[in-house]
Amino acid sequence: MPLLKLTIDNIEVEVEPGTTIMNAARKIGGHVVPPAMCYYSKLEGSGGKCRTCLVKVSQGSFKDNRPMPKLVASCRTLVQDGMVVQNTTSPEVIENRRAITEFLLLNHPLDCPVCDQAGECHLQDLSYQNGLEETNTDEARRTFAPIDIGNLIKLHMNRCILCYRCVMVADQITDSRVHGVLGRGDHSEISTLIKKAVDNDFSGNMIDVCPVGALTDKTFRFKSRVWFTRPFDAHRKCTKCSGKTVLWMKGEEILRVTGRKDKYGELEEFICNDCRFVYKQPKDWEIEGPRKIERHSVISQNHYEKLDNEENEDKIEA
Amino acid sequence: MAKKILLDNIDVPGLASFEVYKQLGGYSAVEKALKNLTPDQVTGEVTKSGLRGRGGAGFPTGMKWGFIDKKSGNPRYFVCNFDESEPGTFKDRHIGQLNPHLLIEGMILGSYALGARTSYIYIRGELFYVLKIIEKAIAEAYKNGLLGNNILGTGYSLDLYCQPGGGAYICGEETALLESLEGKRGNPRIKPPFPAVVGLYGCPTVVNNVETIATIPWIINNGYEAYSSIGIGNSKGTKLISACGHINKPGVYEIELGLPIEEFIYSDEYCGGIRNGNKLKAVVAGGSSVPILPAELILRTATGEPRLMSYESLSEGGFQSGSMLGSGGFIVMDHTTCIVKNLLTFARFYHHESCGQCSPCREGTGWMEKILHRIESGNGSMKDIDLLVNISKHIEGNTICPLGDAAAWPVASAIRHFRAEFEEHVKLQKCPF
């Protein structure tokens, strides 16, 4: 099959047939990549829900050069040959992204100062980039009490943006899913069925895929702000997973273990609960070296590794 | 008297039973089609009749059938959308309750045309008593050889099931309906792919409204020319209108498309005028989702033409001065009605019924309800009105399914046409009604 040509924000790129606009933009990289709060390339059927990645298609294809009537979700729209896409060059897209950010924050508690996700939170990033400076609302927010789902994971439903990623992880990575979305509309919640505990070898990945602080690691809760810890790539021999992880250390102490995330915050490989929760001694691990943090997030602010020029550029653009 | 297609025999006692229905010429269309017509000929009749989907969107039915993927070799399904739950719309219930065999006959014809061997009627959970009636009718049809193996000895076999929903408005959206029918949470799917390619259980599927399906037997019996000679422009045939609100004679009426709205509201054959001789204030012409229109714009278009009951005439002027025919839920309000309060009721409904899958609708519907509640209870401010317009603008078109649009349009249109009333609420710090 010949490659398909498309233009995103005046930059041309060629991609395989069957590629989404989002992945074509990721191929270009930089500012043309729309933010994704629910799309996760490793999870089948994810995306389309948060609407932050909406882009304008100003020309459908070479064959049909009409623009698409509505903004489209770039994570779920396939590229056509000759498509012209506008992301940051379209005022309409920018305005809508601002509105979507406002919607996502509408019922969010904004409790970043006490949230473990702060510093690596996608919603935080999104609101820095697209949020309003002041609020339009003084309405009461919907609230839920935090609950334990199993002995390793804490659920703060207040912070959840209902991206469905954790549900898909449970569906696709683990052998049984005991949690899902209950209820409807803004009162729907992630929950386990009749107080069942989430308990299987890969459940910890739910924490890693959560874009916000709704699902947090109970072994790490309130121990440290993430930007005070130092990430190291490490591995161990594991029979359940690849054993390739990132250790978040303070001095000689391993505060938490996560999977390795790429620059879009997506896991490179899912890891098992043994690696994540059990082995917390430096002697358990073969440390490879400092983890390069590619994101422009607050984590790299206190990073000992010198930022190279490319990352500096990224930071300025953001 | 206007031509009656769907409600012709509706007043005959015992119409819901097989014997009475058969005696009145029922199931003759099935006999004609299965014995004398090929499936493509049935599709052709429906296409040429100009029948459009009666669920609200008005998409040409024959064209929808034409999209079904026959090449994949997968089984095909025909599904009836009986999840009628739009506030103001109660026309499908009328057919299901009083004339279930008409629906079943239409189901057999549609399934035959599409080559479906299994078909479903997805009925709204609250209509449990109608479900009982339909199930009884299905059993009768099986007993008389109109369903099951080898129907009427023609070699065509069909199984028909009636499945109740759990009581969610969103399951009236066709892909959410299919999810629910599969036993999953009723979240709308992201399109494309469309159901005609990937539908129920991943197989090609057509979903049609009750009224659409119930029209098919008449088209087969009388030919497409007879059907397309009724109506006006691209709005062919008749339409059921469920009229409610401040009129003297609420109820379900069958009208020929093209009937002037003024006649519909004031003639004794239909609504019989406004209650107590009151003044007409506003009309929601097609179920709660469509834009509301003030009296002067519902009776005449912006250009002064009389407005007619047809897809084209009602949408004339776009959303600036027009509306939509929608599902035919005709809600009439007289001058004693508070538009803000009415809108709050609609907003509460959409807040309650949003599935919560995509963020603009999940968060925006609740937000609009809270603001409207504030204005109606006398605590609103002028900037709330603009905020409402802004929110509705950001929901519209940005959601996965049309529920977002349906929630946004009433708000946008009510403020467009009745802004003064909102401002009065704010100025007086109470509801003036």
Side-chain angles (χ1 to χ4, degrees):
Chain A
M1 283 285 272
L3 294 177
L4 306 178
K5 258 200 197 105
L6 86 154
T7 313
I8 307 177
D9 286 352
N10 305 319
I11 302 170
E12 262 191 36
V13 63
E14 288 193 334
V15 294
E16 301 271 332
T19 309
T20 58
I21 297 176
M22 169 72 80
N23 283 328
R26 285 184 175 184
K27 201 173 169 195
I28 301 172
H31 72 280
V32 301
V33 185
M37 299 298 291
C38 66
Y39 172 70
Y40 208 80
S41 62
K42 275 100 190 162
L43 295 173
E44 206 182 307
S46 68
K49 301 188 196 308
C50 70
R51 318 307 279 179
T52 54
C53 73
L54 292 184
V55 292
K56 189 177 166 72
V57 176
S58 41
Q59 176 180 316
S61 65
F62 284 134
K63 274 188 210 143
D64 180 359
N65 62 5
R66 289 173 303 170
M68 289 196 184
K70 293 177 185 176
L71 301 183
V72 299
S74 59
C75 61
R76 291 296 290 260
T77 309
L78 296 182
V79 168
Q80 307 281 332
D81 199 20
M83 201 180 236
V84 177
V85 177
Q86 286 181 290
N87 179 23
T88 54
T89 50
S90 158
E92 194 189 345
V93 170
I94 301 287
E95 195 205 325
N96 268 295
R97 199 161 287 158
R98 196 154 289 179
I100 303 289
T101 308
E102 195 177 10
F103 285 136
L104 286 174
L105 291 173
L106 198 67
N107 275 311
H108 191 80
L110 297 171
D111 57 349
C112 307
V114 293
C115 175
D116 280 307
Q117 189 84 1
E120 49 184 11
C121 175
H122 289 242
L123 188 57
Q124 230 176 9
D125 290 351
L126 184 79
S127 43
Y128 273 125
Q129 284 157 15
N130 301 291
L132 299 171
E133 280 169 11
E134 47 190 66
T135 175
N136 268 326
T137 169
D138 48 5
E139 257 83 32
R141 285 154 206 262
R142 60 126 168 76
T143 50
F144 298 89
I147 55 169
D148 286 315
I149 47 172
N151 55 350
L152 298 165
I153 306 171
K154 190 87 175 177
L155 169 66
H156 278 267
M157 192 52 218
N158 289 349
R159 298 171 185 158
C160 179
I161 58 162
L162 288 165
C163 69
Y164 284 64
R165 281 181 185 175
C166 62
V167 181
M168 288 172 194
V169 161
D171 252 351
Q172 294 168 26
I173 312 296
T174 70
D175 44 16
S176 68
R177 171 162 74 88
V178 294
H179 83 289
V181 179
L182 306 183
R184 204 162 60 197
D186 59 8
H187 29 272
S188 51
E189 56 176 316
I190 300 285
S191 185
T192 52
L193 186 61
I194 321 174
K195 303 276 176 215
K196 254 191 170 170
V198 174
D199 178 24
N200 62 64
D201 283 343
F202 286 84
S203 63
N205 292 301
M206 284 164 49
I207 301 166
D208 276 352
V209 300
C210 183
V212 294
L215 296 166
T216 50
D217 180 345
K218 279 172 78 178
T219 64
F220 178 64
R221 272 165 66 81
F222 306 132
K223 280 203 177 151
S224 171
R225 311 288 355 192
V226 283
W227 57 90
F228 294 139
T229 62
R230 291 176 168 190
F232 289 93
D233 278 344
H235 65 267
R236 59 178 283 273
K237 271 210 180 94
C238 179
T239 51
K240 290 178 183 162
C241 68
S242 69
K244 290 179 184 163
T245 61
V246 178
L247 309 180
W248 300 77
M249 301 182 68
K250 209 175 202 174
E252 285 300 296
E253 202 187 342
I254 299 175
L255 292 187
R256 71 165 176 173
V257 182
T258 66
R260 295 183 184 176
K261 292 184 183 179
D262 63 16
K263 62 177 157 185
Y264 302 112
E266 292 184 9
L267 285 178
E268 286 163 12
E269 280 167 297
F270 294 104
I271 62 166
C272 70
N273 281 7
D274 287 358
C275 289
R276 186 187 301 272
F277 296 118
V278 179
Y279 298 98
K280 292 282 178 81
Q281 298 301 320
K283 67 172 168 37
D284 298 329
W285 295 93
E286 194 115 357
I287 292 176
E288 293 165 19
R291 172 77 182 165
K292 205 171 145 198
I293 297 292
E294 296 189 59
R295 294 170 59 216
H296 45 259
S297 75
V298 66
I299 310 174
S300 52
Q301 297 299 314
N302 202 40
H303 207 269
Y304 50 88
E305 201 187 29
K306 223 176 147 190
L307 294 165
D308 61 28
N309 285 337
E310 191 193 306
E311 278 165 348
N312 266 325
E313 269 172 26
D314 257 11
K315 258 179 70 179
I316 294 159
E317 274 168 7
Chain B
M1 276 298 272
K3 188 96 191 152
K4 295 271 190 289
I5 289 177
L6 294 158
L7 303 187
D8 199 15
N9 298 321
I10 207 82
D11 295 327
V12 177
L15 183 63
S17 75
F18 180 81
E19 289 73 30
V20 176
Y21 182 72
K22 179 88 186 170
Q23 226 166 36
L24 291 165
Y27 288 111
S28 56
V30 166
E31 211 164 326
K32 179 177 174 191
L34 265 58
K35 289 188 174 155
N36 305 323
L37 300 175
T38 65
D40 285 342
Q41 280 172 321
V42 176
T43 309
E45 289 283 316
V46 173
T47 309
K48 282 181 277 186
S49 73
L51 174 64
R52 292 169 70 171
R54 300 294 194 227
F59 193 80
T61 306
M63 200 192 279
K64 195 172 191 178
W65 288 11
F67 290 149
I68 198 162
D69 178 10
K70 290 191 170 173
K71 290 191 204 113
S72 71
N74 287 331
R76 298 186 284 274
Y77 293 103
F78 187 47
V79 178
C80 169
N81 185 346
F82 205 142
D83 195 71
E84 178 183 56
S85 25
E86 180 114 329
T89 309
F90 45 89
K91 62 185 178 67
D92 295 342
R93 186 189 63 185
H94 203 62
I95 298 175
Q97 189 179 357
L98 298 173
N99 201 354
H101 284 287
L102 182 65
L103 175 61
I104 294 169
E105 187 171 4
M107 286 300 289
I108 300 170
L109 292 168
S111 305
Y112 177 68
L114 295 164
R117 294 302 165 101
T118 309
S119 294
Y120 297 91
I121 298 172
Y122 183 92
I123 187 165
R124 177 184 179 198
E126 286 90 336
L127 298 180
F128 202 72
Y129 59 102
V130 182
L131 170 85
K132 291 281 169 214
I133 295 168
I134 291 176
E135 281 192 332
K136 190 169 158 263
I138 290 177
E140 283 175 334
Y142 267 106
K143 220 174 81 188
N144 290 284
L146 286 152
L147 285 171
N149 280 330
N150 197 10
I151 297 171
L152 300 175
T154 57
Y156 176 67
S157 306
L158 173 71
D159 283 313
L160 180 63
Y161 302 96
C162 193
Q163 170 69 37
Y169 171 67
I170 189 62
C171 292
E173 199 276 340
E174 61 176 5
T175 55
L177 185 153
L178 296 177
E179 287 278 301
S180 174
L181 200 51
E182 289 178 9
K184 298 177 190 152
R185 184 185 159 82
N187 278 358
R189 295 175 185 167
I190 293 157
K191 287 163 275 186
F194 289 92
V197 183
V198 181
L200 188 64
Y201 307 118
C203 297
T205 305
V206 167
V207 183
N208 277 146
N209 176 262
V210 172
E211 190 187 341
T212 317
I213 295 171
T215 309
I216 298 165
W218 195 91
I219 296 174
I220 299 300
N221 274 332
N222 297 280
Y224 69 89
E225 286 110 341
Y227 191 80
S228 62
S229 66
I230 310 166
I232 183 169
N234 281 329
S235 307
K236 303 287 188 208
T238 65
K239 172 97 187 75
L240 293 185
I241 303 289
S242 53
C244 63
H246 303 150
I247 44 176
N248 286 323
K249 287 167 61 190
V252 180
Y253 296 101
E254 181 165 12
I255 57 146
E256 284 183 27
L257 286 168
L259 179 81
I261 288 184
E262 193 160 8
E263 188 187 332
F264 183 70
I265 297 177
Y266 292 103
S267 92
D268 281 335
E269 194 184 337
Y270 301 110
C271 302
I274 313 295
R275 66 167 184 190
N276 307 331
N278 283 354
K279 227 176 101 217
L280 175 68
K281 181 173 185 179
V283 170
V284 179
S288 63
S289 313
V290 309
I292 190 172
L293 285 181
E296 61 276 14
L297 282 174
I298 191 71
L299 300 177
R300 296 193 179 280
T301 62
T303 51
E305 301 283 311
R307 207 181 283 276
L308 312 175
M309 282 282 197
S310 74
Y311 291 99
E312 293 81 24
S313 178
L314 265 165
S315 57
E316 200 177 313
F319 279 0
Q320 275 312 309
S321 63
S323 182
M324 283 164 77
L325 181 60
S327 58
F330 198 80
I331 309 170
V332 182
M333 300 169 209
D334 69 10
H335 71 270
T336 62
T337 318
C338 173
I339 295 293
V340 182
K341 191 168 183 188
N342 169 65
L343 186 60
L344 170 62
T345 312
F346 286 171
R348 187 186 298 130
F349 174 80
Y350 288 110
H351 175 208
H352 184 69
E353 296 294 347
S354 166
C355 80
Q357 193 181 199
C358 64
S359 29
C361 173
R362 177 182 68 230
E363 306 292 347
T365 50
W367 196 8
M368 291 197 299
E369 190 206 328
K370 283 175 186 163
I371 296 171
L372 280 164
H373 185 265
R374 193 159 65 207
I375 297 175
E376 172 64 14
S377 58
N379 301 312
S381 63
M382 286 298 177
K383 76 173 201 301
D384 282 342
I385 302 171
D386 291 321
L387 186 58
L388 274 176
V389 176
N390 228 333
I391 299 170
S392 71
K393 207 165 67 189
H394 288 135
I395 297 176
E396 187 188 338
N398 286 346
T399 54
I400 294 175
C401 80
L403 193 139
D405 299 340
W409 290 340
V411 174
S413 60
I415 298 178
R416 188 182 307 127
H417 298 302
F418 296 97
R419 197 182 181 98
E421 206 170 309
F422 285 81
E423 286 171 354
E424 207 182 340
H425 277 75
V426 173
K427 274 185 210 139
L428 297 174
Q429 291 289 295
K430 70 178 177 88
C431 178
F433 288 91

